[in-house]
Amino acid sequence: MRYGHFDDQHREYVITRPDTPLPWINYLGCEAYFGIISNTAGGYSFYRDARLRRLTRYRYNNAPFDFGGRYLYLRDNATGTFWSPSWQPTRTPLDQYQCRHGLGYTTIASNCKKVEAETCYFVPLGENLEIWRCRVTNRRQKPAKLSLFSSIEFCLWDAQDDATNFQRNFSTGQVEIEDAVIYHKTEYRERRNHFAYFACSAKPAGFDTQRDTFLGPYRSWDNPAAVERGKSFNSVAHGWAPIGSHHIKLSLKPGETKEVIFLLGYHENPVDQKFDPPGSQTLNKKTVKPVIAKYLDGKNAEAAFQKLREYWDGLLGIYQVNSPDPHANRMVNIWNAYQCMATFNMSRSASFYESGIGRGLGFRDSNQDLLGFVHMVPARARERILDLSATQFKTGGAFHQYQPLTKRGNNDIGSGFNDDPHWLILGVAAYLKETGDWSILDEPVQFENEPGSEQPLYEHLRRSISYTLERLGPHGLPLIGRADWNDCLNLNCFSDTPGQSFQTTTNKEGKVAESVFIAGLFVLAAKELAAIAAMRNPDEAKHYLAEAAKMEKTIYDHGWDGEWFVRAYDDFGRPVGSKVCDEGKIFIESQGMCIMAGIGLNDGKAKQALESVNKHLATRHGIVLQQPAFSKYHLHLGEISSYPPGYKENAGIFCHNNPWIIIAETMVGNGRRAFDYYTRINPSAREKIGDLHRCEPYVFAQMIAGKDAPTHGEAKNSWLTGTAAWTYYTFTQWILGIRTGYEGLIIDPCIPAKWAGFKVSRLYRGERFDIEVRNPNAVMKGVRRVVVDGVEVPDRLLRPTGKQPHHSVVVEMG
Ligand code: GLC
Ligand code: GLC
């Protein structure tokens, strides 16, 4: 069954029934103020950090209940009946319902009892606030007397503390109400200099700020006492649970529309100007009032909305494709690029699967995310790279995560994930290839955020390499540490105590267990650093190439199992991911990474490994992580065997690494298979199996249940996943093959032979390349000619000239 459809022209996904299998969400905000919004207006908002600066509450363990949000209520004052125009929380049947998730905005429209309501939620660029623009229309023959109630529940800032520390928090809540604006100022009296506000463009008949008064005892958001009786209580929160609610009376003639704007925002005052008058306990509202006044004005709100649309048009216009496949076009041109921006902004912090109170930004995750967004916001990629590298240790190791608000490494998780440092090299390489901005390498960057420890970024990259060289195991392969890319392959953990973290518990010294995956990653990163070094110091480049070659040999000697690459060696020195194992004989990661590093391309091993992947791991819903699945808990393997077979790292389709195999297939020239694998996990192509897939059809999910799971084909953990960047990068740079290089765009498509060609328009270093690829001989790979502005370019590299803003390129495959 379908729950909606794509509207590609407006770049929207249109949901046509509210009861989607799971909340289908969207993100508001793309700079500092963010919100998550579901198709029924559920979700929450925060400033910069979903844990430490949470504005509104959300109830955890909540998919698919989806409870807590930006709820409006409409009440017919003549009959006393009321409903939610976004369906939740009252779930009153609606005569019409439509949710349009667009780029940075969501519009929910409905019709109930001949009253139409359409609310558009968005965050204006450059502001720390969200706008809810609500338009109510009377479709009746006679006048309608209605009440519109707004509601949000404030979070007391630290979302973790807010959800647990009730002995204190039930007594700290404070608000101020002035001119129809509800100010939430809990803890402002002491160490905070920020507050939230909830404003409304109409003059309210009343308000509520105390949750239990608004709802009434033992009631919930689906039947608040204030809405039921049609009148606010004008409650002022002291302690307990501060909320914001306005009551607006609307009298509408037949056919008449009225617009009401609500603003929910975040504001900071200078520490020495917190109060007005000084010495009082009253919020200083001098600088916030003009902001509120500006956006309560419908004209300004509309202008901000148009600007937001232009912003996204600009970002998406950087890379546009027209290929024979509508699903791929839609993902590349709209949704996958958009998802890449979401993963850049959120990392893995806030979604309906990431609570927002857990981890901050991951070191490896954020570096990989760069691959997907660097072309859209290169300046912000630069900043991200510098922030990330500042959490690196002097040893070259790295904090596994850092908090976005403080930009400091997260001590709870610490370091010791031995793949981490190499992703920095790949991230920096992607940035250099996109921008040509070599100055970043000389940028002084701290280690462990320690002032005075600054070294050029380039030195950080060097240490990423030496980190591994100083940590080799018995076979000469890299020691795995706590885990490599696969967080759940914990070979030094040996945890037998419930509740221990598999990621931080270490019961073994870690001197034996090795990772073939890191070995492959090392080869890839060392070759990349050699290419970077070649531009500056050719001798150093040779050194990195020599180290890469040495590791390659080690992989041949100890990492090849006969038909595929071994995955690792455990703490007893026994292979993991080998035909000698009972379970987990073959893993996806080492196949993808070793081949991406170029290993086995010349002697058939790459092709053989890919055949093994096809035979043992590929399913019609994607490629599973390993086989056979672990049927029981293996103490020496860790979390991977803690999942029931078919889920997550235990033989789930972990979409993140499917693109590695796809890239590998393009490297061996199999465009048909590369595209086929891509399509299996493409959410748009899976829209028709929505009942099985269940997650949003417009974004990739982290995981699709594997063939060992009872729910094979069911997706989970949508939105915040490395899958976004990897699929985008893979499709644009390896299948379409318009690939960034240090000196220009490399043209190297690998497509299904039946494609007659495709077109790409690509803005690159300030110049637009309109590229037409023709495939007259129906090949999968191989370029015969590249003609740029009428002139054949023998090395097939598109070089920006610095003079000409626009180029026409014709590529002939064959
Ligand atoms: C999650 C983590 C990522 C890890 C992957 C595999 O996606 O965010 O860091 O590589 O799982 O375990
Ligand atoms: C859990 C998840 C895994 C994630 C890890 C790190 O183990 O299953 O995907 O990478 O947590 O937080």
Side-chain angles (χ1 to χ4, degrees):
M1 186 160 93
R2 287 182 194 242
Y3 297 85
H5 56 264
F6 287 92
D7 178 347
D8 292 338
Q9 199 196 339
H10 294 99
R11 295 178 168 154
E12 291 173 332
Y13 190 82
V14 187
I15 302 167
T16 47
R17 46 185 300 166
D19 56 342
T20 46
L22 292 163
W24 285 3
I25 71 163
N26 192 13
Y27 286 89
L28 308 176
C30 47
E31 293 161 323
Y33 183 101
F34 298 101
I36 297 182
I37 184 163
S38 73
N39 56 307
T40 57
Y44 58 86
S45 300
F46 58 95
Y47 172 74
R48 285 195 195 277
D49 190 314
R51 166 157 177 193
L52 298 175
R53 287 283 191 285
R54 184 75 71 90
L55 265 75
T56 57
R57 272 194 186 142
Y58 190 70
R59 294 295 179 288
Y60 299 106
N61 199 350
N62 205 6
F65 302 127
D66 187 17
F67 203 57
R70 302 167 181 83
Y71 294 142
L72 296 173
Y73 302 86
L74 275 168
R75 182 178 186 276
D76 189 337
N77 290 342
T79 60
T81 52
F82 62 92
W83 67 95
S84 305
S86 63
W87 192 60
Q88 287 255 59
T90 67
R91 291 183 303 280
T92 312
L94 300 167
D95 298 321
Q96 279 168 24
Y97 160 90
Q98 193 183 67
C99 167
R100 291 182 165 262
H101 281 319
L103 306 183
Y105 68 90
T106 286
T107 304
I108 302 176
S110 65
N111 187 321
C112 187
K113 304 183 202 323
K114 297 208 163 55
V115 175
E116 237 173 61
E118 183 190 272
T119 311
C120 177
Y121 301 88
F122 67 98
V123 175
L125 293 170
E127 302 289 359
N128 295 323
L129 59 90
E130 63 188 66
I131 296 180
W132 314 356
R133 187 180 60 192
C134 176
R135 290 176 179 153
V136 184
T137 305
N138 176 13
R139 294 286 174 215
R140 299 175 181 170
Q141 306 294 340
K142 14 180 236 237
K145 284 201 180 316
L146 306 170
S147 283
L148 175 66
F149 288 88
S150 65
S151 69
I152 45 133
E153 183 172 3
F154 291 112
C155 179
L156 310 186
W157 307 117
D158 179 337
Q160 164 85 35
D161 185 79
D162 179 75
T164 46
N165 189 7
F166 308 117
Q167 62 82 21
R168 169 180 163 84
N169 294 341
F170 283 167
S171 297
T172 54
Q174 285 193 302
V175 295
E176 260 178 53
I177 301 122
E178 191 185 314
D179 301 335
V181 185
I182 295 162
Y183 295 90
H184 173 230
K185 59 169 194 177
T186 301
E187 291 189 349
Y188 189 80
R189 65 202 307 280
E190 25 130 346
R191 292 156 298 174
R192 295 187 186 273
N193 64 329
H194 55 86
F195 58 88
Y197 56 89
F198 189 38
C200 156
S201 65
K203 194 173 155 28
F207 61 85
D208 273 297
T209 64
Q210 184 65 283
R211 186 185 68 195
D212 293 351
T213 311
F214 176 73
L215 297 180
Y218 298 96
R219 285 161 171 260
S220 185
W221 295 96
D222 58 359
N223 63 343
V227 178
E228 192 178 276
R229 74 171 197 163
K231 196 168 183 284
S232 297
F233 295 94
N234 296 342
S235 58
V236 179
H238 299 283
W240 295 112
I243 63 157
S245 173
H246 309 92
H247 172 205
I248 292 122
K249 288 190 173 159
L250 293 174
S251 288
L252 296 174
K253 295 194 227 45
E256 188 184 0
T257 301
K258 276 193 179 152
E259 178 177 280
V260 182
I261 293 175
F262 298 95
L263 303 181
L264 174 63
Y266 170 91
H267 197 75
E268 284 175 6
N269 276 333
V271 178
D272 57 352
Q273 292 165 40
K274 280 170 61 170
F275 301 105
D276 180 28
S280 76
Q281 288 289 294
T282 313
L283 278 180
N284 176 357
K285 308 183 186 81
K286 282 203 182 86
T287 52
V288 77
K289 277 187 173 171
V291 183
I292 296 176
K294 178 172 177 191
Y295 292 101
L296 286 182
D297 181 331
K299 285 194 299 298
N300 295 332
E302 175 59 25
F305 185 67
Q306 291 311 328
K307 262 204 181 146
L308 183 67
R309 300 210 71 164
E310 285 160 25
Y311 169 80
W312 281 106
D313 286 348
L315 285 188
L316 299 184
I318 293 169
Y319 195 120
Q320 288 287 300
V321 60
N322 185 358
S323 85
D325 186 66
H327 299 296
N329 292 348
R330 165 185 294 154
M331 291 316 287
V332 170
N333 294 340
I334 308 169
W335 292 100
N336 197 180
Y338 181 60
Q339 187 181 1
C340 286
M341 287 300 291
T343 54
F344 158 57
N345 285 320
M346 302 286 125
S347 188
R348 307 293 174 268
S349 70
S351 75
F352 271 28
Y353 307 90
E354 304 285 359
S355 66
I357 56 179
R359 42 192 170 163
L361 271 61
F363 191 88
R364 80 157 83 87
D365 292 340
S366 292
N367 274 304
Q368 292 171 81
D369 291 347
L370 273 160
L371 295 171
F373 74 82
V374 62
H375 65 296
M376 290 187 276
V377 286
R380 296 176 73 190
R382 189 180 208 275
E383 186 191 352
R384 176 61 59 85
I385 287 171
L386 297 176
D387 288 347
L388 281 168
S389 50
T391 65
Q392 207 176 9
F393 290 77
K394 289 194 176 115
T395 58
F399 272 112
H400 194 49
Q401 292 158 6
Y402 79 98
Q403 290 307 131
L405 192 70
T406 57
K407 295 192 173 180
R408 301 185 78 87
N410 186 340
N411 273 316
D412 298 346
I413 307 287
S415 168
F417 296 76
N418 285 350
D419 63 315
D420 273 341
H422 299 304
W423 298 110
L424 180 66
I425 298 179
L426 301 191
V428 171
Y431 174 80
L432 292 173
K433 290 174 185 176
E434 180 65 38
T435 62
D437 168 23
W438 291 82
S439 75
I440 192 173
L441 295 174
D442 301 319
E443 202 65 52
V445 183
Q446 296 172 352
F447 286 100
E448 279 181 75
N449 307 105
E450 222 178 81
S453 65
E454 288 83 356
Q455 290 282 337
L457 176 63
Y458 185 69
E459 177 60 25
H460 285 250
L461 304 186
R462 278 188 178 137
R463 293 194 193 182
S464 292
I465 293 289
S466 53
Y467 179 82
T468 290
L469 292 176
E470 286 160 14
R471 285 167 185 75
L472 298 177
H475 297 93
L477 293 162
L479 292 171
I480 196 168
R482 286 177 164 169
D484 60 23
W485 172 85
N486 190 329
D487 270 331
C488 301
L489 190 61
N490 316 115
L491 303 181
N492 294 305
C493 182
F494 286 77
S495 172
D496 55 9
T497 307
Q500 278 182 337
S501 156
F502 289 103
Q503 274 75 45
T504 55
T505 306
T506 315
N507 283 316
K508 294 288 167 174
E509 264 193 289
K511 300 240 163 71
V512 180
E514 301 167 298
S515 164
V516 177
F517 170 82
I518 300 182
L521 178 62
F522 174 88
V523 174
L524 183 62
K527 286 180 179 172
E528 208 62 270
L529 190 56
I532 294 171
M535 306 288 205
R536 304 158 66 92
N537 178 349
D539 279 346
E540 213 178 296
K542 274 189 219 139
H543 161 71
Y544 293 127
L545 287 178
E547 292 298 348
K550 220 156 93 191
M551 188 66 80
E552 230 174 288
K553 175 155 189 320
T554 310
I555 295 176
Y556 274 126
D557 292 346
H558 303 291
W560 179 252
D561 196 53
E563 289 174 58
W564 56 77
F565 293 97
V566 178
R567 177 62 177 84
Y569 284 91
D570 67 17
D571 182 61
F572 309 103
R574 300 176 310 204
V576 177
S578 155
K579 58 179 176 297
V580 305
C581 306
D582 294 334
E583 307 193 311
K585 289 174 190 285
I586 171 172
F587 281 66
I588 191 172
E589 302 102 306
S590 43
Q591 320 313 321
M593 192 47 77
C594 290
I595 300 171
M596 285 201 292
I599 302 166
L601 288 177
N602 298 328
D603 59 6
K605 287 200 166 62
K607 277 197 173 151
Q608 194 177 4
L610 289 170
E611 285 314 313
S612 300
V613 168
N614 189 257
K615 184 165 156 205
H616 301 290
L617 302 180
T619 78
R620 68 198 164 94
H621 296 294
I623 308 166
V624 300
L625 196 139
Q626 98 280 9
Q627 278 294 295
F630 297 111
S631 62
K632 51 182 180 291
Y633 179 54
H634 297 270
L635 187 67
H636 66 292
L637 298 179
E639 187 170 4
I640 189 165
S641 58
S642 74
Y643 287 111
Y647 293 114
K648 297 279 277 184
E649 281 87 341
N650 188 9
I653 296 157
F654 219 92
C655 297
H656 186 141
N657 53 32
N658 278 223
W660 302 345
I661 298 299
I662 300 171
I663 293 176
E665 288 289 359
T666 67
M667 292 175 85
V668 303
N670 196 338
R672 182 190 53 78
R673 211 186 248 172
F675 180 71
D676 178 20
Y677 284 160
Y678 170 80
T679 303
R680 294 183 199 192
I681 60 167
N682 182 337
S684 165
R686 298 174 63 78
E687 188 191 22
K688 55 181 184 296
I689 52 164
D691 276 334
L692 174 64
H693 185 79
R694 301 186 81 221
C695 277
E696 296 93 332
Y698 41 91
V699 288
F700 287 90
Q702 180 205 60
M703 200 244 339
I704 297 174
K707 59 184 171 188
D708 303 287
T711 61
H712 183 33
E714 177 188 22
K716 256 180 224 165
N717 302 14
S718 57
W719 278 99
L720 301 185
T721 157
T723 316
W726 276 105
T727 48
Y728 186 87
Y729 168 74
T730 298
F731 195 83
T732 57
Q733 303 215 20
W734 293 89
I735 293 181
L736 300 177
I738 314 293
R739 189 151 68 242
T740 57
Y742 292 103
E743 286 167 277
L745 286 175
I746 299 158
I747 306 291
D748 182 25
C750 184
I751 57 177
K754 61 172 194 242
W755 281 18
F758 61 88
K759 288 184 183 162
V760 164
S761 178
R762 170 67 150 105
L763 186 66
Y764 180 65
R765 300 189 188 174
E767 297 178 22
R768 181 159 295 278
F769 292 87
D770 280 316
I771 306 165
E772 184 184 348
V773 176
R774 298 176 188 156
N775 187 18
N777 300 318
V779 299
M780 292 199 284
K781 196 173 165 114
V783 169
R784 187 178 285 170
R785 299 192 320 140
V786 173
V787 179
V788 183
D789 301 320
V791 182
E792 186 166 348
V793 188
D795 66 1
R796 302 179 207 149
L797 200 64
L798 307 186
R799 287 188 178 74
T801 55
K803 294 181 208 116
Q804 207 180 323
H806 182 265
H807 307 275
S808 297
V809 183
V810 177
V811 177
E812 199 178 300
M813 293 179 69

